[in-house]
Amino acid sequence: MPSPPAERIWALPRGTPAPLDADVKACNAQAMHPNDVHTRIRRLFSVVILAFLGLLGWQAYWHLAKSDWLLAQPTNRRLTRAERHIQRGVIYDRHGERLAWTEDGTRHYAAPEATAAVLGYLDPVYGRAGVEGEWDLELAGLSRTFTPAEFRRIRDGKAPHGKDLKLTLDLSLQQAAMRALGARRGAVVMLDPESGGILALATSPTFDPRAIRQTFPQLTQANDGALRNRAVQDVYPPGSTMKVLTAAAALMHDVEPGTHYTCEGTTEMYGVKVTDYHNTVHGSVDMPMALAKSCNNYFARTAAALPWSDFRDTAEAFGFGTRWWEKLPERRMLPFTLARSSLLPEPGTPSRGERAHMGFGQSTVVATPLQMAMVSAAVANRGTVMAPYLVAEVHEGGANHVLRRFDSVAVGYPLTGSTAKTL
């Protein structure tokens, strides 16, 4: 016969009340069960594993996803040291003329002040800008684009060579544009309507990229905006160039070119005053004559007569109010920070008086010079807006072998082919 279980005996000081059953249960609950110990160890182990995986993912993110960004930072001393041992790539214009090249460790430019706004500058202290900045890894031979020639170079132990770039720019046209600007502030843009290639993109005042180390502090403090690319970074009232867009909107919405309006020089309409240049009186004019004479009154009446949605939709098809550059196959094809052209500072419906002033490029409408070049190019290209771009090809360094070739895309269809021909 098994002996009966021993009774638990509580030894208590004299005068101490006997414990209640609840107290006994509480004491028993405080005793750590072996299963509880294992559970806590597993939880701690899981936390350590999760922390390790998080650290591993964080490192992987910076080493894989953001490594090119880190490498391209101007403050990265490792990049500067590496570039000293690599022959930097050449930048060519559309005809193969050298725009920028390196000899004896010095960067040279064929037309430094004429091309500064496009090519940008390269400096270990003040960083990089323009084509030199956006395509720095390729030009410096530090991008992770490996080719058979690159593997052969590594196998043979030869020094690396930066990739070469070919632009759509025409050096002779770029220099002609700068000569035309002279000492005046402004910008000139010339596009190839069919391809969208930028043939000339000049801005004045400008700077000498070779002397950026000495002049950068003064350039940033001056009020002439020499470091800004006025063609793409600044917006202005488009003025009479807007009349081409107004005419396009009218023709696309069944306004006949033969429609006449009377211009009296200065006219009150829809609560606003419309005045022609030098208060010139054009008399009764139709659309062809109004374009030839640049008649403000005609296009003010035309814009005010159009439904706002028709005028707005045509402007958006030309690129107003949109970020059309995001549709490019490679964003760096146009290596600039671009300002957006717009009809209104915020969504809304302007009054007819405001629309009258918009018809000849005043009121709240603002545009970049590049945007207005796109308007003209679309008319020349049978009504299709091609996204402007600058970088056409990436070549093997020191060779004529094309590694990548870029083509633009259509970003708007504001006109039919027949309407574009009429305009």
Side-chain angles (χ1 to χ4, degrees):
M1 292 286 295
S3 60
E7 295 182 358
R8 180 173 294 178
I9 299 174
W10 295 85
L12 301 171
R14 182 175 295 179
T16 303
L20 300 175
D21 289 344
D23 297 328
V24 174
K25 292 179 181 179
C27 291
N28 292 336
Q30 290 177 4
M32 183 71 72
H33 193 278
N35 289 339
D36 294 336
V37 175
H38 294 158
T39 299
R40 294 193 179 190
I41 291 175
R42 284 196 298 270
R43 288 176 179 172
L44 178 61
F45 182 73
S46 299
V47 170
V48 172
I49 289 296
L50 288 174
F52 176 76
L53 291 176
L55 181 62
L56 187 64
W58 183 249
Q59 291 293 321
Y61 170 75
W62 285 105
H63 283 277
L64 299 177
K66 299 290 287 184
S67 61
D68 282 351
W69 180 85
L70 286 171
L71 192 61
Q73 295 309 296
T75 54
N76 190 338
R77 296 179 181 273
R78 197 172 158 199
L79 175 64
T80 304
R81 288 196 299 267
E83 287 181 336
R84 294 172 185 166
H85 307 289
I86 300 173
Q87 180 71 17
R88 190 172 180 84
V90 180
I91 303 175
Y92 297 96
D93 84 340
R94 66 189 296 110
H95 302 298
E97 294 289 332
R98 290 193 304 179
L99 299 174
W101 66 97
T102 299
E103 289 181 0
D104 300 326
T106 302
R107 197 65 167 166
H108 298 272
Y109 297 93
E113 294 186 342
T115 60
V118 175
L119 301 185
Y121 54 82
L122 185 71
D123 187 82
V125 174
Y126 298 113
R128 303 159 179 82
V131 176
E132 294 275 30
E134 290 294 326
W135 290 89
D136 186 52
L137 295 182
E138 285 81 3
L139 289 166
L142 297 172
S143 65
R144 290 190 300 228
T145 304
F146 290 106
T147 63
E150 190 75 9
F151 282 114
R152 287 194 296 271
R153 180 196 64 75
I154 295 173
R155 180 197 63 192
D156 299 337
K158 295 181 179 178
H161 193 295
K163 306 293 189 296
D164 297 336
L165 298 181
K166 185 176 183 180
L167 309 186
T168 62
L169 204 72
D170 186 312
L171 178 58
S172 62
L173 292 176
Q174 182 76 8
Q175 291 174 309
M178 287 302 297
R179 287 194 299 271
L181 280 170
R184 294 174 294 181
R185 296 187 186 187
V188 174
V189 180
M190 181 182 291
L191 301 177
D192 179 338
E194 292 187 356
S195 71
I198 296 175
L199 304 178
L201 194 146
T203 180
S204 175
T206 185
F207 63 95
D208 188 342
R210 300 169 301 180
I212 196 70
R213 176 73 60 82
Q214 294 76 32
T215 60
F216 190 86
Q218 292 77 23
L219 291 171
T220 56
Q221 295 172 8
N223 61 1
D224 60 1
L227 286 175
R228 295 188 62 79
N229 189 329
R230 296 172 184 269
V232 298
Q233 291 182 317
D234 292 340
V235 292
Y236 308 93
S240 291
T241 60
M242 192 70 177
K243 294 170 183 174
V244 177
L245 189 152
T246 304
L251 293 174
M252 282 298 293
H253 294 91
D254 303 323
V255 175
E256 292 296 325
T259 301
H260 281 72
Y261 289 117
T262 300
C263 169
E264 298 176 348
T266 298
T267 307
E268 293 277 351
M269 62 176 79
Y270 311 115
V272 299
K273 181 182 290 187
V274 175
T275 302
D276 269 276
Y277 186 62
H278 287 322
N279 203 28
T280 303
V281 177
H282 296 122
S284 180
V285 290
D286 58 7
M287 188 179 291
M289 183 58 67
L291 276 172
K293 298 292 186 180
S294 190
C295 179
N296 291 348
N297 270 270
Y298 184 93
F299 288 101
R301 293 186 182 278
T302 300
L306 284 171
W308 168 242
S309 60
D310 293 346
F311 188 83
R312 180 199 60 211
D313 291 349
T314 300
E316 288 180 354
F318 275 111
F320 276 79
T322 69
R323 299 175 66 87
W324 51 263
W325 52 88
E326 294 180 350
K327 298 180 181 179
L328 285 166
E330 161 64 70
R331 176 63 187 86
R332 295 183 301 160
M333 290 168 63
L334 191 57
F336 309 117
T337 299
L338 283 84
R340 184 165 58 176
S341 304
S342 63
L343 298 177
L344 295 168
E346 56 187 35
T349 302
S351 67
R352 295 188 75 179
E354 290 173 316
R355 280 147 52 192
H357 277 178
M358 285 182 181
F360 58 98
Q362 302 297 329
S363 185
T364 57
V365 59
V366 289
T368 62
L370 178 64
Q371 174 62 71
M372 298 318 296
M374 292 167 64
V375 172
S376 299
V379 178
N381 194 36
R382 300 173 293 279
T384 299
V385 182
M386 300 300 293
Y389 73 108
L390 184 67
V391 179
E393 295 174 355
V394 180
H395 291 193
E396 189 71 55
N400 200 29
H401 176 61
V402 179
L403 299 176
R404 297 177 67 188
R405 181 176 284 111
F406 302 108
D407 293 303
S408 186
V409 293
V411 292
Y413 302 91
L415 296 164
T416 62
S418 59
T419 305
K421 184 177 180 180
T422 299
L423 183 54

